[in-house]
Amino acid sequence: MLIDTYGRVATDLRVSLTDRCNLRCTYCMPEEGLQWLAKPDLLTDDEIVRLIEIAVTGLGIEEVRFTGGEPLLRPGLVGIVERVAALAPRPQMSLTTNGIGLKRTAAALKAAGLDRVNVSLDTLRPDVFKTLTRRDRHQDVIDGLEAARDAGLTPVKVNSVLMPGLNADEAPDLLAWAVRHDYELRFIEQMPLDAQHGWKRDGMVTAGDILASLRTRFELTEEGAGERGSAPAERWIVDGGPQRVGVIASVTRPFCSACDRTRLTADGQVRTCLFATEETDLRAALRSGAPDEEIARIWRVAMWGKKAGAGLDDPSFVQPDRPMSAIGG
């Protein structure tokens, strides 16, 4: 079991498969990209599967989310999913992606055992997409979403970040589109995870702003805390249902007290929080020949030291040195 001093138990593992991405989203990384991890620093497919097996069979992990960077850029992704699906007990598996490669991989991922996907899409306007991501790939994401739905990777969840002066007015249009295509839309407050440290709390589009905008067109009924559990999204029933919309208010309404996540970076570091400034090295233990029991012990110790919260409301908050592409969202 992965328990911390506040009594929280981690059952959800986020696994970053690569720090690389084929977009350059303004809230994540600079236009020129980053200095990528060297290949020898990355965990191998075998190392990833071994760590997941330790987590699932010995540490109580029930859900595994593959992230990046962009996880579809990992050559061995389908094989990793297939091997994790064969574990006993079998964890629930999902993938967070920008959707660009889903059209060609959705069916194979479903056949390998992936349960569902989260796809990032911040706008319905191709020109705004190009401004936000610095790439002209909007239609590829739309096609990838359709392929995921058709392959049965459901519920297909769409993650959207609204930015002042760019797409802040699109909340109602995004929800209408998601309802029409049977996607579950989730708005995420912009978080301080950009490599250039350009995030500012003042002026950000808040959960309150998003809900006020949605209510100009839709009737929203709060789902209730009992339905939410440890999920990061607060959810509302749209126009009486069955469709729902979620808002992840990481900044203005943090949910740290119910957090059930542990994170593994692409180079084999345990992170207790997306905003943590410290990491615990599992790769060194793996490569030095440590047995599973020792690796599990190191992981337990790391999680025991998890802090009470992310500290975004603390004036002394220090943004993590690593951007989101290297941590895994």
Side-chain angles (χ1 to χ4, degrees):
M1 180 183 294
L2 292 172
I3 189 169
D4 65 33
T5 54
Y6 299 92
R8 296 169 297 190
V9 178
T11 58
D12 184 335
L13 170 61
R14 307 295 171 98
V15 181
S16 174
L17 298 178
T18 178
D19 59 331
R20 296 174 184 264
C21 188
N22 41 14
L23 297 180
R24 295 292 181 270
C25 296
T26 56
Y27 51 77
C28 184
M29 69 171 73
E31 185 171 4
E32 65 274 14
L34 300 165
Q35 184 174 346
W36 309 121
L37 292 168
K39 188 173 181 179
D41 293 336
L42 293 170
L43 293 176
T44 67
D45 293 0
D46 288 344
E47 289 171 336
I48 289 170
V49 173
R50 183 182 171 197
L51 287 174
I52 293 174
E53 182 174 9
I54 291 169
V56 168
T57 62
L59 295 173
I61 291 298
E62 299 171 357
E63 299 179 45
V64 176
R65 171 85 61 85
F66 296 108
T67 70
E70 173 45 52
L72 295 182
L73 295 179
R74 177 88 186 198
L77 172 60
V78 172
I80 291 171
V81 170
E82 189 170 37
R83 292 169 67 183
V84 174
L87 296 177
R90 180 199 187 279
Q92 287 290 304
M93 285 186 293
S94 59
L95 178 87
T96 295
T97 171
N98 62 31
I100 288 176
L102 266 181
K103 183 177 180 179
R104 58 181 172 77
T105 58
L109 287 167
K110 179 64 177 179
L114 192 71
D115 294 300
R116 63 173 187 82
V117 293
N118 288 23
V119 180
S120 299
L121 180 65
D122 302 322
T123 178
L124 298 176
R125 306 168 188 163
D127 59 325
V128 176
F129 181 91
K130 187 174 181 179
T131 299
L132 279 168
T133 68
R134 305 183 179 106
R135 297 291 186 270
D136 190 10
R137 306 295 298 272
H138 188 262
Q139 189 59 48
D140 292 324
V141 181
I142 299 297
D143 293 344
L145 279 160
E146 293 176 358
R149 184 191 58 207
D150 294 345
L153 292 170
T154 55
V156 175
K157 296 184 179 181
V158 177
N159 296 338
S160 296
V161 176
L162 299 182
M163 306 278 287
L166 287 172
N167 61 340
D169 62 332
E170 285 197 66
D173 290 340
L174 280 162
L175 181 54
W177 166 82
V179 167
R180 187 165 65 249
H181 292 280
D182 198 24
Y183 303 139
E184 184 176 322
L185 181 63
R186 307 193 311 172
F187 292 99
I188 304 176
E189 287 183 336
Q190 184 192 0
M191 295 179 283
L193 290 168
D194 56 310
Q196 57 271 39
H197 291 198
W199 178 85
K200 290 181 175 59
R201 185 182 181 114
D202 294 342
M204 64 172 284
V205 181
T206 68
D209 297 331
I210 294 165
L211 291 169
S213 179
L214 292 176
R215 286 187 170 115
T216 64
R217 196 183 305 182
F218 301 94
E219 178 184 343
L220 302 181
T221 305
E222 191 168 3
E223 189 176 58
E227 295 289 333
R228 181 181 182 184
S230 61
E234 299 175 74
R235 297 204 307 175
W236 282 262
I237 301 166
V238 179
D239 289 342
Q243 290 85 3
R244 284 162 170 73
V245 63
V247 179
I248 300 178
S250 304
V251 178
T252 61
R253 296 206 287 265
F255 39 86
C256 299
S257 63
C259 181
D260 65 350
R261 289 161 203 80
T262 183
R263 299 174 183 275
L264 184 65
T265 68
D267 55 349
Q269 311 298 307
V270 170
R271 294 183 68 93
T272 59
C273 173
L274 195 60
F275 300 100
T277 55
E278 298 175 348
E279 299 175 333
T280 300
D281 188 2
L282 294 185
R283 185 188 63 197
L286 275 174
R287 295 181 180 178
S288 67
D292 290 357
E293 294 77 10
E294 174 60 12
I295 292 169
R297 185 195 67 79
I298 295 170
W299 207 329
R300 287 191 192 97
V301 171
M303 292 304 296
W304 182 252
K306 184 173 182 174
K307 295 181 179 179
L312 294 182
D313 55 350
D314 186 336
S316 63
F317 169 75
V318 178
Q319 184 170 328
D321 291 332
R322 293 223 233 182
M324 184 161 33
S325 63
I327 298 169

